[in-house]
């Protein structure tokens, strides 16, 4: 059985405008051990013949039999397999991968050897055989024509394929070199089928065993020149035992990785450029992802009350207020851990402000909304300590405030929380863009803040503090907003800034008696809006006013505002006398939400209005639609940005990747499985991604360790970092996918360097 048999093979080229006959009616049969010289005029169809035999060109007529097997039904993958198994191709213009070294070029053809050491040893052996050992580590681009062709021969031998096709292999070489190359070919291909197309028959005459002349696409003559040593028929083309599928895949992936790595390192400048593009892309995704960082807010539940695990909000049906006794008995009756009588502050986070000192200058302040809490633990790693007294507070702040307030200098400074002056004894920082800061008080401290809040910040209270002189004349009415509560001031003293009214009072000695009047309108809890009844309370205070300048209050001497400082004791007395008659809501605290729900049911049965704090309210249709739309828009925006960035990266890299197309074609013409080439291309791009990934990780570390950067960066969540990585991989895969499709769209022949289309 012939190794190759061509039966009536015809190949027609259809190009724009005309039809050209490549070859027609070709009947030839080849055996192992033959050295066939093919000659003919230019354009007679020699190249076409080789291309058809190699499977790089399809044929339209006849049948090509390989070891008796017909091939006319072959599709792309089968041709690839055929090339891999049977064919080595040697071109006139060398077709080595110029950016690879001689060794890498040869090793490329040795992928079937799994062991890397064995692979290298075999490659070196072949390189020695073609006389290039001194150039093994030279890049292809640095070799002479003869050296390149020797590399190609070594590569052809490396494959150990039964057929070597050479299309004018010495066309670009001088006479002496040509002689050497032909001799080398003849020698190394002694046991193979070698078909050499040549202009110059004399060069091969000495070695050829057969001469085929082509004229006008048809075989003109076919002479056997000398006997070939009879070759053992069954030298199997199969490589050892056919590996099972799993093994093959594993090998393919391994080879893909090796190839990807080689490609990446062989073109350092192109690779550096790709890395740079990836970094640009990453920065883009970083930006987009942090822009859409608040996406998760859309999924946050709408709690009716501030949700604290185990909290149950309680009022009475009849609208009357709770007494301490009632609450304490409800607590023990329903197994609550604790209760909070005046719980308004728990629900007013957005309106609660901390006035933070932000610099050396006491005038520099920043107002921060915060949740107020008590009895909470932030772990051991806090700066300073937990509050122990009524006038002390611990702040739980975003790390971005660390630079503003300084690491330790903030401790023990006075901070204004709501309208109450506390001493800051502890700080803890967190990394979270969507979290509220928190102020942690002692229970008493919390109560004071509540009293102050309900008296002064609540829009439904409408009070004033009137200060009268000794003789009964009114010195000034202060709005409750003008008042600051201090824990340092004794309850029988007030601090008043009276500068503006000096002429009225003729000095501080005249002000010896102060009356504090508070008008307080109660409001009817959250279940019913609006003001229920206008209740007016009056609390009288008689004491001594202090008008000498106390340095710690200087910061608040801002004209009329905050011109009155009142002791915390006095405030609480006043406030609680009001609250105990007006404040109708309280909270019970259980171990967890489940316990709160069980208690809620029982309390409702007992006639209370009881709402666990994890109860949500249904957002109305418009809100739902809006949030769904914004969600979709954000998600689409993110995906569109990815598409845009991948398009951008592809655009930037397309010219450089175009250069790579030739190398690809060479690999394909060598019969390297397309799977390996694909994987190699992906791996190469993914390697280019590594610097970008490192950059993201470094940035993250920088952001998290150096709060100074908070001015420029937002703190991303792990899921956002995951999105960035996923996005980058998506961009890379997409760009590579397009690139690969582009590469494989064209036939091998066409994309080969200096394609054969004459
Ligand atoms: P040779 O190698 O003997 O010089 P070729 O095999 O390259 O000749 O070409 C044989 C014929 O086929 C010529 O007429 C040539 O113009 C035509 N031909 C070869 N390749 C193509 C192609 N890609 N498209 C159109 N015609 C082609
Ligand atoms: Mg040709």
């Amino acid at each position: 059985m012939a190794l190759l048999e061509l039966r009536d093979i015809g190949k027609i080229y259809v190009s724009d405008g005309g039809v050209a006959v490549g070859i027609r009616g070709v009947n030839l049969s080849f055996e192992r051990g033959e050295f066939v010289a093919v000659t003919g005029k230019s354009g007679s169809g020699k190249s076409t013949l080789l291309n058809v035999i190699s499977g790089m060109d399809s044929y339209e007529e006849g049948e090509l039999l390989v070891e008796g097997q017909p091939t006319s039904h072959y599709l792309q993958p089968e041709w690839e397999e055929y090339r891999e198994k049977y064919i080595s191709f040697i071109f006139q213009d060398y077709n080595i991968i110029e950016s690879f070294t001689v060794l890498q070029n040869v090793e490329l053809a040795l992928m079937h050897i799994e062991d890397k050491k064995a692979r290298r040893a075999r490659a070196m052996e072949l390189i020695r055989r073609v006389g290039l050992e001194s150039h093994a580590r030279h890049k292809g681009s640095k070799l002479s024509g003869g050296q390149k062709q020797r590399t190609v021969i070594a590569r052809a031998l490396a494959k150990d394929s039964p057929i070597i096709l050479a299309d004018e292999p010495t066309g670009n070489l001088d006479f002496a070199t040509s002689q050497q190359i032909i001799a080398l070919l003849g020698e190394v291909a002694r046991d193979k089928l070698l078909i050499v197309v040549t202009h110059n028959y004399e060069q091969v005459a000495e070695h050829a065993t057969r001469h085929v002349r082509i004229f006008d696409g048809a075989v003109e003559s076919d002479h056997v020149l000398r006997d070939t040593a009879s070759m053992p028929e069954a030298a199997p083309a199969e490589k050892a035992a056919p590996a099972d599928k799993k093994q093959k895949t594993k090998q393919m992936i391994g080879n893909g990785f090796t190839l990807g790595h080689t490609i990446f390192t062989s073109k350092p400048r192109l690779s550096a450029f790709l890395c740079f593009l990836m970094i640009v892309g990453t920065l883009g995704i970083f930006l987009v992802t942090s822009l859409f960082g608040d996406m998760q807010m859309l999924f946050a539940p709408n709690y009716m009350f501030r949700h604290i695990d185990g909290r149950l909000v309680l009022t009475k049906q009849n609208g009357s207020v709770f007494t301490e006794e009632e609450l304490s008995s409800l607590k023990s009756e329903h197994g609550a851990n604790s209760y909070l009588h005046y719980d308004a502050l728990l629900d007013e986070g957005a309106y609660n402000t901390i006035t933070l000192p932000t610099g050396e200058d006491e005038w520099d302040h920043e107002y921060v909304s915060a949740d107020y809490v008590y009895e909470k633990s932030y772990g051991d790693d806090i700066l300073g300590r937990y509050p122990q007294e009524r006038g002390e507070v611990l702040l739980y702040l975003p790390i971005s405030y660390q630079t503003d307030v300084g690491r330790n200098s903030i401790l023990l400074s006075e901070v204004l929380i709501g309208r109450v002056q506390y001493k800051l004894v502890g700080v803890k920082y967190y990394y979270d863009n969507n979290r509220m800061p928190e102020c942690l008080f002692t229970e008493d401290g919390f109560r004071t803040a509540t009293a102050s809040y309900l008296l002064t910040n609540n829009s439904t209270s409408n009070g004033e503090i009137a200060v009268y002189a000794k003789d009964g004349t009114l010195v000034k009415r202060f709005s409750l907003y003008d008042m600051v509560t201090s824990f340092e001031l004794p309850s029988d003293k007030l601090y008043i800034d009276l500068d503006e009214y000096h002429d009225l009072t003729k000095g501080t000695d005249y002000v010896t008696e102060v009356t504090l009047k508070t008008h307080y309108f109660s409001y009817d809890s959250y279940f019913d809006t609006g003001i229920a009844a206008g209740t007016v309370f009056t609390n009288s205070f008689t004491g001594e006013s202090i008008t000498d300048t106390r340095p710690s209050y200087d910061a608040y001497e801002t004209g009329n505002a905050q011109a009155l400082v009142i002791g915390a004791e006095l405030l609480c007395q006043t406030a609680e006398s009001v609250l105990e008659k007006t404040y109708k809501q309280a909270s019970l605290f259980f171990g967890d939400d489940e316990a709160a729900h069980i208690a809620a049911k029982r309390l409702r049965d007992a006639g209370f209005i009881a709402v666990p704090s994890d109860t949500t309210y249904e957002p109305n249709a418009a809100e739902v639609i809006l949030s769904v739309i914004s969600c979709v828009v954000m998600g689409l925006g993110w995906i569109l940005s990815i598409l845009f960035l991948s398009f951008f990266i592809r655009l930037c890299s397309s010219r450089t990747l175009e250069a790579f197309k030739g190398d690809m074609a060479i690999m394909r013409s060598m019969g390297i499985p397309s799977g390996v080439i694909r994987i190699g291309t992906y791996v190469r791009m993914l390697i280019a991604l590594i610097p970008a990934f490192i950059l993201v990780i470094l940035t993250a570390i920088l952001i998290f360790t150096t709060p100074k950067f908070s001015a420029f960066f937002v703190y991303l969540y792990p899921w956002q970092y995951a999105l960035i990585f996923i996005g980058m991989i998506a961009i890379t895969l997409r760009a590579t996918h397009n690139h690969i499709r582009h590469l494989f769209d064209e036939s091998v022949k066409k994309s080969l360097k200096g394609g054969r289309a004459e």
Side-chain angles (χ1 to χ4, degrees):
M1 189 182 17
L3 174 60
L4 271 184
E5 192 181 344
L6 286 74
R7 285 189 193 154
D8 268 330
I9 292 283
K11 164 78 197 169
I12 292 163
Y13 290 108
V14 183
S15 50
D16 35 33
V19 175
V21 176
I23 47 175
R24 57 200 163 97
V26 172
N27 282 291
L28 286 168
S29 171
F30 300 107
E31 296 293 347
R32 278 193 177 74
E34 284 191 287
F35 184 145
V36 184
V38 178
T39 59
K41 283 197 295 191
S42 176
S44 57
K46 308 181 295 293
S47 296
T48 308
L49 179 68
L50 286 200
N51 289 336
V52 167
I53 291 176
S54 70
M56 285 196 279
D57 247 346
S58 55
Y59 57 91
E60 284 83 36
E61 288 166 15
E63 182 68 76
L64 171 69
L65 296 157
V66 179
E67 294 187 302
Q69 299 302 311
T71 60
S72 51
H73 60 280
Y74 276 13
L75 299 173
Q76 192 69 14
E78 282 129 348
W79 282 120
E80 251 158 34
E81 204 175 309
Y82 161 73
R83 273 205 297 274
E84 186 188 359
K85 210 148 114 186
Y86 287 93
I87 305 289
S88 290
F89 213 118
I90 300 172
F91 296 94
Q92 174 176 346
D93 36 21
Y94 323 125
N95 279 315
I96 62 169
I97 296 173
E98 304 235 322
S99 55
F100 283 22
T101 62
V102 170
L103 187 62
Q104 284 169 334
N105 265 287
V106 176
E107 281 187 339
L108 208 52
L110 286 169
M111 287 199 169
H112 53 275
I113 302 178
E114 247 185 280
D115 179 55
K116 289 227 168 115
K117 271 200 186 137
R119 190 185 285 184
R120 175 130 311 177
R122 175 83 180 128
M124 285 312 291
E125 186 189 322
L126 294 166
I127 290 169
R128 250 193 304 282
R129 198 156 157 207
V130 299
L132 271 184
E133 59 265 57
S134 55
H135 289 73
R137 285 175 203 278
H138 288 208
K139 279 213 170 189
S141 52
K142 301 262 158 64
L143 301 176
S144 71
Q147 287 167 338
K148 285 183 188 173
Q149 210 61 308
R150 281 170 194 273
T151 308
V152 176
I153 293 171
R155 200 175 68 188
L157 294 176
K159 257 186 83 175
D160 201 21
S161 57
I163 303 170
I164 297 181
L165 305 173
D167 193 349
E168 312 210 17
T170 60
N172 290 343
L173 300 177
D174 59 60
F175 184 78
T177 316
S178 300
Q179 291 279 303
Q180 290 168 13
I181 293 291
I182 294 293
L184 178 64
L185 261 180
E187 183 204 318
V188 299
R190 214 176 281 279
D191 57 343
K192 298 171 191 284
L193 166 61
L194 173 65
I195 305 178
V196 180
V197 163
T198 179
H199 267 100
N200 197 340
Y201 178 66
E202 283 75 54
Q203 266 178 8
V204 301
E206 194 188 323
H207 305 278
T209 66
R210 181 172 167 189
H211 185 190
V212 175
R213 254 190 287 232
I214 309 280
F215 179 76
D216 209 5
V219 176
E220 187 190 25
S221 68
D222 181 1
H223 294 298
V224 174
L225 306 171
R226 51 179 72 86
D227 276 347
T228 53
S230 66
M231 284 295 126
E233 173 78 13
E238 307 274 327
K239 288 193 182 96
D244 65 298
K245 220 175 162 197
K246 218 172 136 191
Q247 181 71 22
K248 243 182 140 174
T249 317
K250 212 182 118 199
Q251 195 181 343
M252 186 169 81
I253 293 172
N255 286 336
F257 269 81
T258 314
L259 180 64
H261 181 252
T262 312
I263 297 172
F264 184 84
T265 50
S266 71
K267 288 189 174 153
R269 269 203 274 166
L270 172 62
S271 299
F273 177 65
L274 276 179
C275 290
F276 168 74
L277 279 183
M278 291 302 180
I279 288 172
V280 172
T282 308
L283 290 183
I285 302 216
F286 206 108
L287 209 77
V288 171
T289 308
S290 49
L291 268 177
F292 296 152
D294 289 345
M295 246 193 295
Q296 67 172 24
M297 297 284 268
L298 294 172
F299 302 103
N302 299 293
Y303 290 125
M304 290 175 71
F305 300 93
R306 168 147 154 239
H307 177 228
I308 299 167
D309 195 37
R311 179 183 174 199
L312 178 64
V313 182
L314 206 60
T315 56
K316 292 189 201 167
Q317 294 270 17
N318 63 11
S320 61
V321 296
F322 287 107
T323 63
E324 294 284 338
E325 297 72 50
E326 272 177 315
L327 282 170
S328 114
S329 73
L330 279 175
K331 174 194 135 188
S332 45
E333 195 179 321
H334 292 276
N337 300 333
S338 61
Y339 71 88
L340 183 61
H341 197 168
Y342 309 127
D343 66 353
L345 269 190
L346 293 183
D347 298 309
E348 300 296 334
Y351 305 102
N352 299 334
T353 58
I354 322 170
T355 313
L356 272 181
T358 54
E360 301 290 298
D361 198 330
E362 278 184 290
W363 289 86
D364 294 339
H365 287 99
E366 184 158 352
Y367 297 93
V368 183
S369 295
D371 279 333
Y372 289 11
V373 293
Y374 68 100
E375 283 183 345
K376 185 170 172 176
S377 173
Y378 294 92
D380 295 330
D381 54 336
I382 52 164
L383 282 169
R385 57 173 174 80
Y386 281 94
Q388 284 153 7
E389 286 174 30
R390 197 161 73 141
E392 294 175 343
V393 69
L394 177 144
L395 293 183
Y396 185 52
L397 293 170
I399 187 80
S400 49
Y401 286 100
Q402 192 174 320
T403 39
D404 288 342
V405 296
R407 260 189 93 73
N408 293 303
S409 65
I410 188 176
L411 284 182
L412 298 180
S413 65
E414 306 230 302
V415 288
L416 197 61
I417 297 176
R419 305 243 59 79
V420 189
Q421 241 180 5
Y422 288 87
K423 184 172 281 164
L424 185 58
V425 295
V427 194
K428 174 150 177 157
Y429 297 105
Y430 60 77
Y431 298 86
D432 192 332
N433 297 320
N434 293 326
R435 226 195 143 111
M436 277 281 251
E438 284 178 1
C439 313
L440 176 75
F441 305 96
T442 63
E443 196 174 348
D444 280 348
F446 185 89
R447 212 173 160 109
T448 311
T450 309
S452 168
Y453 170 77
L454 286 173
L455 270 190
T456 62
N457 285 48
N458 195 320
S459 58
T460 54
S461 73
N462 179 10
E464 61 169 28
I465 296 172
V467 178
Y468 295 91
K470 198 179 185 179
D471 59 1
T473 50
L474 178 70
V475 175
K476 179 171 164 53
R477 289 177 196 277
F478 288 94
S479 153
L480 288 175
Y481 291 99
D482 298 338
M483 187 182 76
V484 167
T485 305
S486 165
F487 288 101
E488 287 179 20
L489 208 60
S491 59
D492 60 345
K493 286 189 164 61
L494 286 177
Y495 170 75
I496 311 163
D497 174 21
L498 287 174
D499 281 355
E500 277 183 63
Y501 306 94
H502 231 252
D503 54 332
L504 228 172
T505 60
K506 299 191 184 66
T508 56
D509 293 345
Y510 297 96
V511 188
T512 53
E513 208 171 276
V514 176
T515 305
L516 192 67
K517 269 190 184 167
T518 322
H519 305 276
Y520 187 88
F521 297 97
S522 77
Y523 66 125
D524 223 0
S525 82
Y526 291 89
F527 306 104
D528 191 6
T529 53
I531 296 164
T535 326
V536 181
F537 298 97
T538 305
N539 217 25
S540 288
F541 163 82
T542 307
E544 185 190 340
S545 69
I546 307 164
T547 51
D548 53 322
T549 39
R550 299 195 36 170
S552 60
Y553 302 131
D554 282 353
Y556 311 116
E557 287 183 54
T558 53
N560 274 349
Q562 297 149 6
L564 177 82
V565 182
I566 177 175
E569 201 58 56
L570 180 59
L571 175 89
C572 282
Q573 280 170 18
T574 310
E576 296 207 8
S577 70
V578 171
L579 292 177
E580 72 186 10
K581 296 184 186 91
T582 59
Y583 195 82
K584 295 167 181 173
Q585 182 186 299
S587 283
L588 290 177
F589 296 95
F590 297 85
D592 52 37
D593 283 335
E594 205 187 334
H597 277 272
I598 294 166
K601 200 175 168 301
R602 277 191 285 149
L603 281 158
R604 276 197 290 268
D605 291 344
F608 290 95
I609 298 169
V611 185
S613 70
D614 63 341
T615 307
T616 54
Y617 63 88
E618 289 300 318
N620 62 36
E623 279 176 325
V624 172
I625 291 168
L626 206 72
S627 76
V628 166
I629 288 176
S630 45
C631 239
V632 168
V633 166
M634 280 179 184
L636 277 182
W638 195 81
I639 289 169
L640 278 179
S641 327
I642 299 264
L643 290 181
F644 171 78
L645 284 170
S646 75
F647 174 76
F648 166 78
I649 285 174
R650 198 157 76 88
L651 201 75
C652 291
S653 59
S654 68
R655 287 198 105 216
T656 49
L657 293 176
E658 198 68 22
F660 188 58
K661 217 161 114 178
D663 294 347
M664 285 289 177
I666 292 170
M667 290 178 207
R668 286 170 74 199
S669 73
M670 285 170 58
I672 293 181
S674 65
V676 173
I677 299 179
R678 280 167 209 270
I679 292 172
T681 312
Y682 278 113
V683 168
R684 174 273 196 106
M685 289 293 264
L686 289 174
I687 294 176
L689 199 58
I690 291 174
F693 274 18
I694 291 175
L695 190 79
V696 170
I697 292 167
L698 286 183
T699 311
I701 292 173
L702 195 72
I703 291 173
F704 279 83
T705 54
T706 319
K708 251 192 185 125
F709 280 89
S710 62
F712 309 105
F713 294 106
V714 284
Y715 297 102
L716 301 188
Y717 299 104
W719 67 265
Q720 285 174 304
Y721 280 106
L723 263 191
I724 293 174
F725 286 125
I726 290 170
M728 275 319 288
I729 290 172
I731 285 179
T732 311
L733 293 186
R734 213 189 117 78
T736 314
H737 174 80
N738 286 329
H739 171 48
I740 286 179
R741 206 186 51 203
H742 196 55
L743 284 175
F744 282 85
D745 261 357
E746 277 180 6
S747 77
V748 181
K749 214 188 90 192
K750 196 166 163 217
S751 40
L752 272 180
K753 273 190 241 163
R756 306 265 83 197
E758 276 158 47

